[in-house]
Amino acid sequence: MHLLRGDPPNHVFSLKRILKILLLSYTALTCAAFYTPEYYIMADLSQFDPNRAGNPNNNIFGLPFTEDESRVVLLPVPWEVTVSYTAGTARASDHICKAALQVDIFDTDLRDGWKEGFYMRPADKKVLMKSDYLRKEAELYIDYISKGEIVEKNNFMCKSMKEINEGGIYLNNWVYQQTKDLLDKGKLVGLVGGDHSTPLGYFKAIAEKHGDFGILQIDAHADLRKNYEGFAYSHACIMYNALNEIEQVKKLVQVGVRDLCDEEWEYISSSNYRVVTYFDHELKERQFEGQSWKQIADEIVTHLPHNVYLSFDIDGLDPKLCPGTGTPVPGGLEIEQTYYLLRQIMRSGRKLIGFDLSEVS
């Protein structure tokens, strides 16, 4: 993934950078010890040339694997009902698949990592249709309350809020069942959002599979609101819901946060270090004053338990690297900092047990 094919337009080049994070995370995942080999079907790669242009008739990165032949399965979750600003992330997986054909699969960290097998499922059309329908309702609802109107005085808005919250429950159950089935087959699962509300069901499946674990959240936002705009399962509430509903989440370590509210600050401050937040401005100040990123990254890793889940909201990066994301915030991480942090997690002997990438647009 260090070499790029062709000369694509700038928006595809930005996606390539995102995809490099994807593959680096998954090559790290292939080193994990929990894979169950009895479910693994060896693929015939005798006719596949990894040096040729990506074949659009194949799957992600132009690879020729089926789901059964793949260690890593990417599950698109085409959902953006509660996005606050710019939509588009529900269709991220389609754009990622197309851009992935332009990315070489060679990686210096694990040269043959691609041979473990990567497969992205098609986006579920029923979930996408439900998202599109509820998104229209949410847009009307958000516009209504933004003007100071009272929801209880409008029966249509009361109905919309109820339907949207029920939609969130539906999605959580759907994600839980899909990821549980894949985990039961011994697959390493990566969730591809969709907005950042999408992984809650996966967190629950991971908890059942692995017991206690910690979440490393790379994000511009804290996502610790009890509800947002009346939505219990908003993208702004994902980490509050994870901590509130899943006792196996023993630690939340947030990196790159630079946009939060009073309620979230109080939650972090009163969490008794269940939540450890590395605010973006503090990370920058420490580096300005002479600390190396290695020192900071190693400190971040010490807060994580053995089993680590990576929840990656792409807006955790500097917006120049992800200009289409729905709620960009100035500041953020560089890609190389993210690579290094992930490498330090693996070098520490910790196990990366799952992954989601959200808010790509």
Side-chain angles (χ1 to χ4, degrees):
M1 301 227 12
H2 296 274
L3 304 175
L4 305 179
R5 301 183 180 111
D7 185 21
N10 288 336
H11 72 281
V12 175
F13 186 70
S14 296
L15 276 173
K16 285 182 179 180
R17 293 173 170 174
I18 295 165
L19 287 165
K20 185 168 182 180
I21 293 170
L22 257 174
L23 189 52
L24 177 64
S25 301
Y26 290 144
T27 53
L29 275 168
T30 62
C31 299
F34 68 87
Y35 179 64
T36 312
E38 60 264 28
Y39 292 100
Y40 188 47
I41 300 172
M42 292 294 291
D44 179 8
L45 299 175
S46 60
Q47 304 301 311
F48 179 72
D49 182 357
N51 300 300
R52 301 182 71 175
N55 184 345
N57 294 318
N58 289 339
N59 201 260
I60 187 79
F61 304 116
L63 293 171
F65 299 98
T66 65
E67 182 174 312
D68 287 340
E69 294 167 342
S70 299
R71 285 188 70 176
V72 177
V73 177
L74 309 183
L75 176 67
V77 186
W79 190 264
E80 58 180 6
V81 175
T82 66
V83 292
S84 307
Y85 187 41
T86 306
T89 190
R91 289 165 173 80
S93 63
D94 291 339
H95 297 295
I96 286 174
C97 256
K98 290 175 183 177
L101 294 173
Q102 302 298 318
V103 180
D104 276 301
I105 56 178
F106 178 82
D107 190 90
T108 56
D109 289 309
L110 195 61
R111 288 187 58 181
D112 293 330
W114 64 271
K115 292 182 181 179
E116 301 293 339
F118 296 80
Y119 180 83
M120 180 182 280
R121 283 184 172 181
D124 188 285
K125 293 181 179 178
K126 181 180 177 182
V127 173
L128 179 58
M129 287 177 62
K130 193 173 188 69
S131 173
D132 286 346
Y133 168 74
L134 291 176
R135 177 62 196 157
K136 289 183 174 63
E137 287 205 350
E139 287 174 344
L140 293 172
Y141 175 90
I142 292 169
D143 180 69
Y144 181 80
I145 64 169
S146 70
K147 297 171 182 175
E149 301 291 348
I150 299 173
V151 173
E152 287 75 16
K153 293 184 178 180
N154 187 310
N155 289 336
F156 176 78
M157 293 302 164
C158 288
K159 176 177 174 291
S160 293
M161 184 173 68
K162 181 174 182 292
E163 287 185 351
I164 292 164
N165 282 323
E166 288 173 349
I169 295 170
Y170 160 84
L171 182 78
N172 295 338
N173 292 336
W174 183 86
V175 170
Y176 166 78
Q177 194 59 59
Q178 297 295 313
T179 54
K180 180 181 185 301
D181 291 346
L182 288 168
L183 290 172
D184 287 346
K185 293 177 182 177
K187 302 298 183 183
L188 308 174
V189 183
L191 212 70
V192 181
D195 69 45
H196 208 176
S197 71
T198 53
L200 185 62
Y202 186 21
F203 294 162
K204 293 179 179 180
I206 283 279
E208 289 183 5
K209 179 77 173 180
H210 295 288
D212 294 349
F213 67 103
I215 298 174
L216 173 64
Q217 176 193 1
I218 298 175
D219 204 325
H221 307 89
D223 292 347
L224 286 168
R225 297 173 187 259
K226 188 172 183 179
N227 68 68
Y228 188 56
E229 297 173 328
F231 306 142
Y233 292 104
S234 166
H235 65 102
C237 309
I238 179 61
M239 294 306 164
Y240 174 86
N241 289 328
L243 293 165
N244 190 52
E245 297 185 20
I246 308 170
E247 64 179 0
Q248 293 91 336
V249 178
K250 298 301 182 183
K251 201 82 169 187
L252 171 64
V253 179
Q254 303 177 304
V255 180
V257 172
R258 51 200 187 274
D259 190 20
L260 73 164
C261 68
D262 287 346
E263 174 189 351
E264 293 170 304
W265 174 265
E266 292 299 329
Y267 190 99
I268 294 166
S269 300
S270 62
S271 71
N272 196 26
Y273 297 101
R274 189 183 182 195
V275 183
V276 176
T277 305
Y278 284 84
F279 295 103
D280 188 64
H281 74 277
E282 293 177 348
L283 294 175
K284 298 294 195 303
E285 286 178 4
R286 290 174 65 173
Q287 291 172 86
F288 295 157
E289 293 170 2
Q291 289 194 36
S292 69
W293 182 243
K294 180 186 186 312
Q295 290 173 306
I296 297 170
D298 287 347
E299 179 184 307
I300 292 169
V301 172
T302 64
H303 292 291
L304 292 166
H306 180 69
N307 287 340
V308 180
Y309 179 100
L310 173 63
S311 191
F312 197 144
D313 186 323
I314 205 66
D315 68 25
L317 297 177
D318 188 307
K320 69 176 182 285
L321 303 172
C322 49
T325 193
T327 49
V329 184
L333 299 179
E334 296 294 334
I335 284 181
E336 290 78 10
Q337 291 177 299
T338 308
Y339 292 165
Y340 189 82
L341 177 56
L342 295 178
R343 288 190 184 99
Q344 292 304 91
I345 291 172
M346 302 314 298
R347 289 167 181 161
S348 75
R350 287 166 174 78
K351 185 164 64 175
L352 196 57
I353 59 173
F355 174 87
D356 66 73
L357 177 69
S358 65
E359 305 287 356
V360 177
S361 184

